[in-house]
Amino acid sequence: MALFGTAIENISSRGNSQSYNSAITFVNKALNYAKNAEREDLVTIAYYRLSNLYLKKGEFEKAFENANSGFITSLTIPNDSIKILAAIQVGNCYQAKSESVLAFKYFSNALDKAEAIKNIHLQSNVYHCFSELYKSLNNTDLSKDYLLKSYA
């Protein structure tokens, strides 16, 4: 439980390099544990968190590598919520690399799955991702529309 608690997700994007390196070391321990325990769901979560940390740190290639590993691993598990998180993270990485079309593709995939399982929380997360995507493209009208969908 300590290795996979959610506290690690609260590291600010303004954190210093030492904070990120410590968090990355911690999540790598969680990843090794998950691999040794043959828990593909936890492996996916660890890759998701590593990717998120690398994105915040500004290391986009490492972020993408971990997001992609997590997404591929998620294909082997039955938990749709974790699959959705993995797809969102790949989309976030593509957005960070200014590859909007691919980001849109992954966000759309995640939204379809979230709607299929009727997970309101994940649907809201995806709408926020779409909002940020359109905001980065200077389309404030669509960005607001997606925020309103999230609110609804």
Side-chain angles (χ1 to χ4, degrees):
M1 285 184 64
L3 290 173
F4 288 94
T6 59
I8 200 77
E9 294 177 9
N10 297 326
I11 291 180
S12 169
S13 58
R14 297 180 188 152
N16 63 32
S17 185
Q18 184 178 2
S19 295
Y20 283 117
N21 291 339
S22 295
I24 289 167
T25 299
F26 182 80
V27 176
N28 273 316
K29 287 180 186 177
L31 177 61
N32 288 333
Y33 168 81
K35 285 180 177 179
N36 289 334
E38 297 180 3
R39 292 281 310 270
E40 299 300 311
D41 56 337
L42 296 180
V43 170
T44 301
I45 292 169
Y47 279 129
Y48 165 83
R49 290 183 175 163
L50 281 171
S51 175
N52 198 30
L53 287 167
Y54 281 120
L55 266 183
K56 288 180 179 180
K57 193 176 177 186
E59 295 185 27
F60 303 125
E61 287 306 316
K62 287 183 180 179
F64 180 76
E65 288 171 17
N66 283 284
N68 198 41
S69 294
F71 183 76
I72 291 167
T73 303
S74 77
L75 299 175
T76 66
I77 62 174
N79 188 320
D80 286 333
S81 296
I82 295 174
K83 290 178 182 181
I84 293 165
L85 287 175
I88 289 171
Q89 191 61 23
V90 174
N92 286 336
C93 289
Y94 276 124
Q95 183 178 346
K97 292 169 59 171
S98 298
E99 295 184 30
S100 302
V101 173
L102 291 171
F104 184 88
K105 175 185 170 187
Y106 278 89
F107 293 153
S108 294
N109 179 345
L111 182 59
D112 290 345
K113 286 182 181 175
E115 288 173 342
I117 65 170
K118 297 177 179 28
N119 187 317
I120 302 298
H121 178 73
L122 288 174
Q123 289 176 42
S124 178
N125 285 353
V126 178
Y127 284 136
H128 277 270
C129 292
F130 276 121
S131 176
E132 288 298 315
L133 177 64
Y134 282 108
K135 184 178 171 185
S136 72
L137 297 171
N138 296 318
N139 190 333
T140 55
D141 291 336
L142 275 176
S143 178
K144 287 179 191 176
D145 288 347
Y146 278 106
L147 282 179
L148 290 174
K149 285 182 181 183
S150 173
Y151 178 71

